[in-house]
Amino acid sequence: MVDNIPVHVDPARPAAPTLEQVAERAGVSRSTASRAINGGLRVSPEALASVEAAVTDLGYTPNRAARSLVTKRTDSIALVVPEPDERVLSDPFFAGTLNGLSSSLADSDMQVVLVIARPGESERTVRYLRNGHVDGAIVVSHHANDELDRALQISRVPNVFVGRPLSADERDVQYVDTDNVEGGRLATQRLIDRGCRRIATIAGPADMSAGIDRLTGWRTAIRAAGMSDDAVVRGDFTMASGTIAVRELLARFPDVDGIFIASDLMAAGALSVLAEHGKDVPGDVAVVGYDNLGVAASTTPPLTSVIQPVVAMARAAGARLLDQLNGAPPSPPLIFAPELVIRASA
């Protein structure tokens, strides 16, 4: 029978210190010790110092579940990525985002929960965030039709977007970004300065601010140079879409001699197709990418690329979310200036 199962207790293993022992050591009540450990609310500086000393002396570790009941906080934030699983696991942009976010939380007790909001599941994602599972959210790779920015604004869950939001009024949403318009212009100007006369672009998705803004930057430079801006094909920031897009581009615009490609992954796919077609890069076709993540230096030839400071952006987003959780007022958008790294492709 279950009642007869023996319970073995290791007599050599010391029992974990309790909250009552902390209170006794500090010379305060149990409730005062609890308040001191869970944020120091309504506790005198002297009592707080005594409790902190007792915690250190005894090696006391607060019970996270009990602490959450007191503070109404989970000590966790969600990194929300509205993309398919395989994209999240293969794109270096998301690894850089996680790296930056983790570093911004290193000095806090916060943990990161990865939430992959698959297409069509934004309502389910917001319901999860709103139901108290996390204290706030960082959203990356936002698409207009997922409407996460508008839904999070209504839910009042603290949040920061990495990338300019699209469906809600951007004045009502906190976000960090890079100046994608200027980045697209810089990339295109590099091709113009090299002497390219028929410059195309493989643009990003039309439902993402990065796709929209980098295309705007390309058009700004092309029109300023008096060139035609009709050579546009879109991809979805993946390597596979870059191979498909450049095949279409070469078929429709065989005289192209320069291509601005709105992500390094798409550019890596495009370079392989250009090689298949016997196109020398940069002799026949010069190529500039965007992101300057690990793939840019490993392509053949190495890729000239616009820096998107993903780690710094995610770090800044994490810091802003922590500020929100600590009661700070909203901050204006933080926009990083783009830079061009010149390599052999252009």
Side-chain angles (χ1 to χ4, degrees):
M1 295 177 61
V2 173
D3 290 342
N4 292 329
I5 295 176
V7 177
H8 298 284
V9 178
D10 183 357
R13 181 178 181 181
T18 65
L19 182 60
E20 288 77 9
Q21 290 173 315
V22 171
E24 183 179 356
R25 174 69 67 92
V28 300
S29 68
R30 185 185 188 281
S31 60
T32 297
S34 177
R35 290 198 303 273
I37 291 169
N38 293 303
L41 298 176
R42 305 190 308 280
V43 178
S44 69
E46 295 79 9
L48 182 60
S50 296
V51 172
E52 289 175 346
V55 166
T56 301
D57 291 345
L58 295 171
Y60 175 75
T61 302
N63 182 293
R64 292 183 68 89
R67 184 181 180 192
S68 294
L69 290 174
V70 175
T71 63
K72 309 302 182 185
R73 296 270 288 266
T74 66
D75 286 341
S76 61
I77 64 173
L79 174 60
V80 182
V81 187
E83 296 285 358
D85 298 30
E86 61 273 12
R87 172 91 189 275
V88 177
L89 298 174
S90 63
D91 192 327
F93 173 87
F94 300 112
T97 300
L98 188 57
N99 180 8
L101 179 56
S102 296
S103 69
S104 73
L105 305 177
D107 294 330
S108 74
D109 292 329
M110 287 288 181
Q111 301 181 79
V112 178
V113 178
L114 178 61
V115 178
I116 299 177
R118 299 174 184 86
E121 294 186 358
S122 58
E123 182 178 334
R124 176 183 176 187
T125 299
V126 173
R127 186 166 60 249
Y128 170 82
L129 300 175
R130 191 176 54 228
N131 285 346
H133 299 290
V134 295
D135 298 326
I138 302 290
V139 183
V140 299
S141 202
H142 160 60
H143 296 256
N145 58 2
D146 64 41
E147 295 194 339
L148 278 170
D149 50 351
R150 185 174 297 161
L152 283 171
Q153 184 182 0
I154 294 170
S155 76
R156 301 194 179 281
V157 174
N159 65 86
V160 179
F161 279 68
V162 177
R164 179 172 61 85
L166 287 174
S167 61
D169 188 331
E170 64 183 66
R171 293 171 298 182
D172 298 326
V173 182
Q174 289 204 52
Y175 69 95
V176 300
D177 204 354
T178 186
D179 188 341
N180 286 295
V181 174
E182 177 60 12
R185 191 199 68 78
L186 275 177
T188 310
Q189 190 62 48
R190 172 65 182 173
L191 296 169
I192 294 169
D193 292 344
R194 280 186 55 89
C196 298
R197 304 311 303 163
R198 188 64 165 115
I199 301 174
T201 186
I202 298 176
D207 66 344
M208 299 182 71
S209 60
I212 295 167
D213 292 349
R214 293 172 196 177
L215 178 59
T216 298
W218 174 81
R219 282 209 160 99
T220 299
I222 288 292
R223 290 173 179 174
M227 298 180 184
S228 171
D229 66 350
D230 61 334
V232 179
V233 178
R234 288 193 181 274
D236 63 4
F237 289 148
T238 65
M239 188 178 296
S241 75
T243 62
I244 294 170
V246 79
R247 291 184 196 280
E248 179 182 346
L249 202 61
L250 293 174
R252 291 173 53 195
F253 308 99
D255 58 339
V256 67
D257 60 357
I259 312 174
F260 164 50
I261 305 179
S263 83
D264 289 348
L265 280 181
M266 292 198 299
L271 286 173
S272 64
V273 174
L274 290 170
E276 289 174 10
H277 282 70
K279 300 284 188 180
D280 178 73
V281 177
D284 298 322
V285 182
V287 176
V288 178
Y290 205 113
D291 288 331
N292 197 49
L293 300 176
V295 67
S298 62
T299 57
T300 303
L303 189 63
T304 293
S305 183
V306 178
I307 295 174
Q308 178 167 220
V310 175
V311 173
M313 289 163 62
R315 187 182 299 122
R320 287 181 169 224
L321 183 58
L322 289 178
D323 287 345
Q324 278 190 58
L325 295 175
N326 290 326
S331 302
L334 175 61
I335 309 299
F336 288 81
E339 298 177 48
L340 186 67
V341 177
I342 297 174
R343 297 189 180 91
S345 71

